[in-house]
């Protein structure tokens, strides 16, 4: 880790030396960077090109997928489907380890709790949301008024269209957009690779390039029990080539590029450390549990991988923020904007104080942030169910406009669906997680903290966790459904010990959520909106909003780079995979699945496997299709390299070696055909045979 | 280059963080680190094991080779034989580009000017050399007295044994050893790979790992027109495996690990910059010449590669010296030794002033160093011949004990052999080199510098170079032989314009050589000897002397390492070679020779190609055999990685990723048999068939 930090500090050092000539931006579909495309790439697509891309791309869990056949076939990463694969696996059938292929429609496996959203249409509702704020309202009142209006807009739109309708906040409240989604709730797993090839090299090679991972899976969206008819991407015959212009549509999860210096300093000096503590303690608890046996290791494997990934990314982000160059650039940008606002009397009056208001709010935040981070039962899946039930009981009594976001009419179905997931629950793992979590909370917040007092009373973390997990009946979906169906009173009366625990801690959770709403969020919303408006007034709308897990379009070039004193190629090949496996004498995490060892001679080993490009992606772009000018699939995005990690806070220029990493389209077909004997899937993707025909 | 510097600064930063647990040292055969071997590896070989290694290893040009058959077959790197290959090539037959294989004895090609030395025996003559210094002698007198004694020892030994006998200075004069060499002067080229596979990846991948180069060639030593009967290394059936203990005998060229702080500061602040200027100006001149046409490019290719290699290494060395950690360690070491000397009255009296004497001498050095570096015609081969002739004429008039080293009886044959090399001379290239050299000299020293005055008079560099190169007859070996045979007077009378030029500049060369001898070398010799004695007195003889192109033994472990956040494997395979070629779409310098493309299917692609180990090698170890405990060949050394580059000045610990890079023995045989159809060579190496039998 120390070594990784040094490497990152090195990469970050480059930032300040380069002149950005950026394939930068996670652009909304209403504001694509047409000028850059035209000037830099002589590319000027019709609107229909953009519509097609939007309708063939899906949001999928925390990531992205793309339709690749007219029969609802979705391509994504193995690591995006892995949560579902983990839930479908048992001690006897391990789809994470062994992969999966449904050679016939009947063999496709239904996902326990994953949905796919297509952004069908969108509409600017900024005026309506902002008009809802009454003159003279305090920040907190304004926030409540905006939220009520948003709830009303969503409800109206849902009722009118039957779609899932959500108002999305962009530019820290500078804009509000109504997004209408078609949601597919019946997803079935068609194909997944073995984790050892989808995540070849394990955590070592994660965020590393050259890379050799076939990180792919296929799902199928069903509607009314039949494969959905969908827009879809066609497959490129040749795939990605050196210097090609490519596009990456997807759902980047979260960036912090428009934050003020005060907000960034908070992240650097407090927020990221708290997050790191949360994740590492959870990771360590899972590692300890996994060490108790093979089946425990299997149960813990998917969440461990996910946490390792988050931790490695956070290390990179924090290194970027601690380096001088990103913060220096940010300070210069903020100084410039504030100076321009100050120089114009009208702007100064409206906007000049916004930065200081945010700074003042954040000064009080750190001790609350620590409490907020640990005041939850959610690391335990059962604890999360219990708290959601208790919260549900309270929220549904309120009018739609006054509820927490996740209980508003527009979102409550998704909340219920999560609650009723048929995913397996492992009691021993749950107990281990909850005990470790309460232990870490007590260590961090002290035994006298209100949450710990409520959760533990005079008990120890281990004893408390043992008691509630042993006694709870929430592992049974039917129990959760009965409580939900029984309504608020049934939940309030439940004698389930875990529900009782959730009731005890709920007032503390609510108090902190209220504090954050009143003291941070409403001020951020108000001041953030003014800063966004100031930015528009000074620079125009030449900027993209921070990512928030909604649909964006990124673009870039397929391009190698320099590292050390040598060149890193734009692609790797199957030869590279076999080289790396053999170089480590086929030992984990560089061991190839049996099937890959056996089929080596059948493969054209010069086939491209992975490739890199300059598109401005981030977590959430996992599974994004990589497409060419003709909107054909040339690959699928699955990772970034180390150089790119700090890009949460600023675009890292391509000259500094920052790259996204994808699986090459040719490698996907080669493997499906020659290693997995999945010819039907290949034919469906290539459009030579419709699904289900024989 | 800027990027490379950053990477190096990074690597150097690690040095201070690690606790050395060093496979350190370039040990003389009289003082092998038996204690370390025993304790760390439980290895305690008999003396015969050491003798065998010594007698099967050869010094070869600036590098190393090893006998690998009883019939004088020598294995070395392609880049060690490349000077000879370049000299043997013509516009029509390009052995650098196309490689070479003598399928029958008759096809073996005689090397124009390469010899192989075997260290037959050695003897400590420290007492005799030091006793030659009269009481009360000044440093300069002492130096002359030691040199006269050394000349006498060498002459006596040569006459007695018929061997090449040289007194070697170790520990800055702390020890003198008489080395007796058997010298093979009839070497013939048996096999060489194409440069594009021997130097795959070109300057980019030089000092890089993972690496994929088959940097090998084979020569044969002849004696009296027949293959020499020699000691030789047997071939390991399995080759190098992970964690194996290995040994590397060879002739490391030059290290500066025992220098004083004053000497290191001189290198850092002046010496390395001067060297860099010399090399880069020569490299640039060759690049300019190479751009004039394909044949010019061919002529310049080998020296260009060599200069690029030197420059890249020097960048790494200088980065190491400029980083805080190496210098910090050095200062601490010197401080400790000086404190211990100061604390003991007897030691203090004898040794305490030595460091300051060296420091005082070096203060005057920089302006002279710059003049010394540029006051030579040697960058031009013809210029070098002319100066050697002129110098020869003067030196041979003196008694043996008073001559410059290279004209002493023990070395004069080698000097004459170089002078009479049948290597081709390219007049256009000579003119380009000499003109650029004089131009750079004038830029650096100014037009009024004595050397430039003597060389140019009122002429321009271009005109002067044109005149002397066009007019000289020295390109003809017979001319040089006639001048040599004609003796001092013939040379003094020669009207050859280049000889005339050499005569004009010779007084300046001599004056500077005299200055350096009197003001630097003799003080270094005297004070250096005292520091060495002080070190022995304080610490014992637990240290190895600085490298000086004589035989040493290094040891270490075959071992991968961490870089970035991932693992670098201990070996690469043929798969990796094909991957890297395909990854760059087979474009230079990553293009594979035709033969390698055609024979891919014949190869077992999992065969190891390169591998890394912790042995403390440096330039001059190129071509060193890498052997196991049983003294069997498991590979051949050819490079180091970037992390190791600063090791001229200090051992870079293995925990910092410092590694030597070799070609794996299994890869050598696989390629010889499957790509080159060189089965006779394979059989000879494996001992299944004697050379020449059918």
């Amino acid at each position: 880790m120390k070594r990784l930090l040094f490497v990152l500090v090195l990469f970050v050092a480059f930032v300040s030396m380069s002149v950005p000539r950026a394939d930068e931006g996670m652009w909304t579909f209403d504001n694509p960077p047409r000028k850059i495309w035209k000037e830099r790439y002589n590319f000027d697509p019709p609107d229909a090109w953009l519509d097609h891309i939007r309708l063939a791309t899906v949001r999928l869990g925390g990531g992205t997928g793309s339709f690749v056949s007219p029969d609802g076939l979705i391509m994504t990463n193995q690591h995006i489907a892995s949560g579902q694969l983990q839930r479908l696996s048992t001690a006897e059938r391990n789809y994470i380890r062994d992969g999966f292929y449904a050679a016939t429609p009947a063999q496709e496996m239904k996902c326990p709790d994953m949905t796919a959203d297509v952004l069908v249409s969108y509409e600017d509702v900024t005026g309506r949301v902002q008009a809802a704020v009454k003159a003279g309202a305090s920040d907190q009142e304004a926030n409540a008024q905006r939220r009520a209006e948003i709830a009303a807009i969503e409800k109206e739109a849902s009722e009118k269209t039957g779609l899932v309708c959500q108002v999305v906040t962009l530019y820290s409240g500078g804009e509000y957009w109504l997004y209408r989604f078609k949601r597919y709730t019946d997803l079935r797993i068609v194909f997944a690779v073995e984790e050892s090839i989808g995540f070849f090299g394990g955590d070592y090679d994660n965020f590393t390039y050259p890379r050799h991972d076939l990180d792919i899976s296929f799902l199928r969206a069903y509607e009314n029990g039949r494969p959905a008819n969908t827009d879809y991407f066609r497959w490129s015959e040749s795939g990605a080539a050196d210097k090609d212009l490519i596009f990456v549509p997807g759902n980047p999860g979260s960036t912090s590029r428009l934050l003020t210096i005060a907000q960034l300093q908070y992240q650097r000096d407090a927020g990221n450390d708290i997050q790191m503590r949360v994740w590492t303690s959870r990771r360590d608890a899972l590692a300890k549990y996994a060490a108790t046996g093979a089946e425990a290791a299997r149960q813990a494997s998917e969440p461990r991988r996910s946490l390792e990934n988050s931790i490695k990314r956070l290390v990179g982000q924090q290194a970027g923020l601690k380096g001088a160059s990103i913060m220096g650039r940010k300070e210069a940008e903020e100084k410039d904007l504030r100076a321009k606002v100050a120089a114009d009397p009208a702007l100064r009056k409206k906007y000049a104080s916004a930065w200081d208001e945010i700074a003042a709010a954040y000064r009080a935040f750190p001790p609350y942030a620590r409490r907020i981070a640990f005041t939850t039962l959610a690391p335990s899946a059962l604890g999360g169910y219990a708290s959601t039930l208790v919260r549900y009981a309270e929220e549904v009594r309120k009018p739609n406009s006054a509820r927490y976001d996740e209980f508003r009419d527009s979102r409550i179905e998704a909340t219920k669906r999560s609650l009723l997931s048929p995913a397996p629950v492992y009691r021993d793992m749950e107990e281990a997680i909850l005990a470790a979590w309460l232990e870490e909370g007590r260590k961090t917040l002290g035994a006298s903290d209100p949450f710990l007092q409520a959760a533990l009373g005079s008990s120890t973390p281990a004893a408390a966790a043992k008691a509630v997990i042993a006694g709870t009946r929430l592992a049974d979906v039917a129990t959760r459904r009965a409580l939900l169906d029984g309504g608020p009173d049934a939940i309030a009366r439940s004698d389930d010990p875990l529900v009782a625990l959730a009731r005890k801690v709920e007032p503390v959770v609510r108090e902190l959520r209220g504090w954050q709403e009143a003291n941070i969020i409403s001020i951020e919303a108000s001041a953030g909106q003014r800063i966004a408006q100031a930015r528009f007034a000074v620079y125009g709308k030449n900027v993209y909003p921070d990512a928030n897990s909604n649909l964006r379009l990124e673009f870039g070039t397929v391009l190698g780079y320099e590292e050390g004193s040598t060149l890193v190629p734009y692609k790797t090949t199957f030869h590279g995979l076999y080289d790396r496996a053999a170089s480590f004498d086929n030992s984990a995490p560089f061991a190839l699945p049996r099937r890959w060892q056996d089929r080596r001679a059948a493969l054209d080993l010069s086939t491209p496997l992975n490739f890199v490009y300059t598109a401005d992606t981030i977590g959430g772009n996992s599974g994004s299709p990589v497409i060419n000018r003709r909107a054909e699939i040339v690959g699928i995005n699955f990772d970034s390299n180390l150089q790119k990690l700090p890009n949460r806070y600023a675009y890292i220029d391509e000259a500094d070696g920052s790259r996204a990493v994808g699986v090459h389209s040719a490698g996907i077909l080669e493997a499906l055909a020659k290693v997995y004997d999945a010819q039907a899937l290949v034919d469906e993707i290539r459009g030579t045979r419709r699904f289900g025909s024989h």
Side-chain angles (χ1 to χ4, degrees), chain A:
Chain A
M1 192 67 95
K2 186 174 68 175
R3 197 167 291 252
L4 171 57
L5 262 166
F6 261 84
V7 172
L8 289 163
V9 166
L10 168 76
F11 290 141
V12 170
F14 289 147
V15 174
S16 60
M17 292 187 272
S18 64
V19 179
R21 88 142 193 81
D23 286 339
E24 177 175 358
M26 303 166 179
W27 300 89
T28 51
F29 275 69
D30 66 278
N31 185 37
R34 285 187 172 278
K35 187 156 175 286
I36 298 173
W37 293 348
K38 183 81 176 79
E39 288 175 1
R40 197 175 300 162
Y41 296 106
N42 191 29
F43 184 66
D44 193 10
D47 287 343
W49 183 88
L50 287 162
D51 293 343
H52 167 56
I53 290 170
R54 174 168 50 79
L55 295 171
T57 305
V58 301
R59 182 166 57 190
L60 206 61
T64 302
S66 61
F67 289 119
V68 291
S69 95
D71 295 306
L73 186 66
I74 294 171
M75 176 168 70
T76 188
N77 296 142
Q78 186 272 350
H79 83 265
I80 293 298
S82 64
Q84 302 302 307
L85 293 165
Q86 175 86 26
R87 289 165 178 70
L88 288 163
S89 295
T90 62
E92 292 73 37
R93 306 191 62 169
N94 188 339
Y95 300 118
I96 296 275
R97 183 188 64 204
D98 302 331
F100 176 78
Y101 175 45
T104 66
Q107 291 171 351
E108 295 180 357
M109 292 190 299
K110 188 159 178 173
C111 290
D113 50 11
M114 184 177 246
T115 59
D117 289 347
V118 174
L119 178 56
V120 172
S121 64
Y122 48 85
E123 185 185 336
D124 187 353
V125 294
T126 308
R128 187 170 159 190
V129 172
Q130 290 178 348
V133 176
K134 309 275 188 295
S138 71
D139 285 346
Q140 222 173 324
E141 289 161 354
N143 198 42
Q145 289 157 3
R146 278 191 298 265
R147 289 176 45 140
E149 190 64 27
I150 285 170
I153 293 170
E154 289 178 345
K155 195 174 172 72
E156 271 170 36
S158 298
E159 284 167 359
K160 190 167 157 195
T161 62
L163 296 168
V164 172
C165 295
Q166 291 177 355
V167 171
V168 169
T169 304
L170 301 177
Y171 304 103
S172 310
E175 292 187 353
Y176 293 90
W177 286 75
L178 171 62
Y179 279 18
R180 301 184 194 92
F181 297 99
K182 179 163 180 65
R183 175 164 292 166
Y184 295 94
T185 56
D186 182 357
L187 301 180
R188 304 189 192 172
I189 297 187
V190 178
F191 175 86
V193 296
E194 306 90 334
E195 185 177 59
S196 54
I197 191 71
F199 194 47
F200 180 80
D203 195 52
Y204 280 117
D205 279 5
N206 198 16
F207 299 114
T208 294
Y209 186 81
R211 187 80 178 273
H212 313 87
D213 287 15
L214 190 79
D215 189 358
I216 57 159
S217 65
F218 290 91
L219 314 176
R220 192 182 304 281
Y222 279 74
E223 211 171 11
N224 305 319
R226 301 177 54 81
N229 287 323
T230 55
D231 268 61
Y232 67 101
F233 292 108
R234 287 189 161 71
W235 203 266
S236 160
E237 278 299 315
S238 54
D242 200 15
K243 310 286 191 301
D244 275 358
L245 169 65
I246 51 86
F247 298 86
V248 183
N251 304 283
S254 177
T255 59
S256 307
R257 297 185 187 175
L258 299 180
L259 296 191
T260 67
I261 296 299
Q263 288 168 313
L264 289 172
Q265 285 169 338
Y266 162 77
Q267 289 297 338
R268 183 190 63 189
D269 300 335
N272 283 343
D273 286 342
I274 295 169
Q275 184 65 73
M276 185 60 91
R277 186 150 190 174
V278 165
W279 280 338
T280 53
S281 77
R282 289 174 59 182
R283 188 240 350 236
D284 295 345
L286 284 171
K288 199 172 151 195
Y289 174 69
T292 62
E295 171 56 10
R298 186 194 69 75
Q299 293 166 6
S301 79
E302 199 274 336
R304 284 178 76 190
R305 173 180 166 184
S306 175
L307 281 164
E308 290 288 6
N309 182 66
S310 298
I311 290 166
K312 196 165 179 178
R313 190 161 54 193
L314 184 58
V315 168
Q317 291 170 351
Q318 178 73 338
L321 212 45
K322 289 206 165 181
S325 80
I326 286 180
M327 214 48 156
R329 208 203 307 177
K330 292 283 169 191
E331 282 165 352
E333 284 170 7
E334 183 166 305
K335 198 174 158 192
D336 184 70
L337 177 56
R338 293 185 73 167
K340 288 189 166 106
V341 166
D344 179 319
L347 297 181
R348 186 171 63 230
K349 182 154 185 284
K350 278 200 277 192
Y351 306 131
S353 65
W355 287 268
D356 293 338
E357 290 166 22
I358 287 177
Y362 268 79
R363 271 195 286 278
F365 195 19
Y368 284 94
R370 190 166 293 107
R371 288 187 59 200
I372 290 165
F374 281 94
T375 300
T376 172
L377 301 174
S380 146
L382 291 173
Y385 289 150
S387 285
T388 302
L389 283 165
V390 167
R391 210 161 293 145
Y392 170 88
E394 194 153 341
E395 290 297 304
V396 293
R397 298 177 202 265
K398 300 180 186 168
N400 186 41
S401 63
R403 294 177 197 162
Y404 285 158
D405 287 0
E406 68 270 29
F407 296 101
R408 284 211 301 265
D409 287 346
S410 57
R411 306 187 191 219
I412 200 164
E413 282 312 312
T415 303
K416 285 184 184 173
R417 196 175 308 108
S418 299
L419 200 53
L420 300 177
S421 166
V425 173
Y426 307 109
R427 265 182 209 278
D428 290 347
M429 188 164 90
E430 287 289 306
E431 184 188 325
I433 289 171
L434 186 58
W437 178 249
L438 295 171
E439 185 67 47
E440 184 71 18
R442 196 170 64 169
K443 224 188 297 176
T444 306
L445 305 179
S448 62
D449 174 81
F451 171 72
L452 275 307
Q453 283 286 335
L456 297 179
S458 61
S459 187
T460 65
K466 193 180 185 69
V468 293
I469 298 297
T472 185
R473 297 171 304 276
L474 292 186
D476 183 6
V477 179
T479 304
R480 303 199 295 271
R481 185 183 302 279
L483 283 166
L484 209 53
D485 291 346
D489 293 343
I491 296 166
R493 281 195 314 269
S494 167
D495 63 352
D496 188 283
L498 192 51
V499 175
L501 173 64
R503 278 196 303 259
K504 269 197 275 184
V505 301
E506 184 66 6
V508 191
V509 175
R510 286 184 170 273
E511 182 210 327
L512 289 172
R513 194 159 167 170
W515 183 90
Q516 189 172 8
E517 190 74 50
N519 296 283
I520 302 291
I521 293 173
S522 60
I523 289 149
E524 274 184 331
S526 165
Q529 174 183 319
R530 285 157 61 212
I531 291 171
Q533 287 164 341
R535 193 178 277 122
F536 292 154
V538 169
Y539 302 121
K541 191 176 166 183
N542 66 351
V543 73
Y544 50 92
D546 266 322
N548 59 0
S549 294
N550 280 292
L551 191 66
R552 301 296 175 85
L553 186 55
E554 297 126 14
F555 67 98
T557 306
V558 177
L559 196 66
Y561 53 97
E562 285 187 38
E563 191 172 310
S565 64
T566 193
L567 302 179
V568 180
Y570 76 95
K571 69 176 173 186
T572 63
T573 71
F574 284 111
H575 271 306
L577 171 69
Y578 284 99
D579 173 61
R580 199 152 169 81
S583 291
F584 287 102
D585 296 326
N586 210 51
S587 58
F590 304 98
L592 287 170
R594 184 78 247 163
R595 194 198 315 265
W596 281 81
Q597 298 175 45
D598 294 343
R599 294 296 178 90
R600 185 176 84 170
L603 286 165
D604 175 353
L605 295 168
S606 301
T607 308
L609 177 51
N610 291 166
F611 69 117
V612 285
Y613 36 94
T614 61
D616 189 8
T617 60
I618 201 166
N621 274 118
S622 281
S624 279
V626 184
I627 57 177
N628 62 18
R629 290 170 187 247
R630 290 183 299 279
E632 296 165 338
I633 300 271
V634 298
I636 175 172
N637 187 71
F638 76 100
D639 200 18
S640 298
N641 65 1
L642 283 179
Q643 289 90 325
K644 196 175 177 188
L645 279 181
N647 81 331
R648 179 189 185 94
Y649 300 106
Y651 175 75
I652 309 297
D653 194 71
E654 63 193 54
D656 301 316
S658 157
R659 292 292 183 279
V661 186
V663 185
H664 195 278
S665 57
I668 294 171
L669 292 196
E670 181 75 5
L672 287 176
K674 309 275 184 66
V675 179
Y676 294 102
D677 300 328
Q679 193 59 45
L681 197 49
V682 171
D683 291 344
E684 184 178 353
I685 289 168
R686 301 189 65 214
T688 55
R689 182 162 55 166
R690 283 294 288 264
F691 172 64
S693 67
H694 297 282

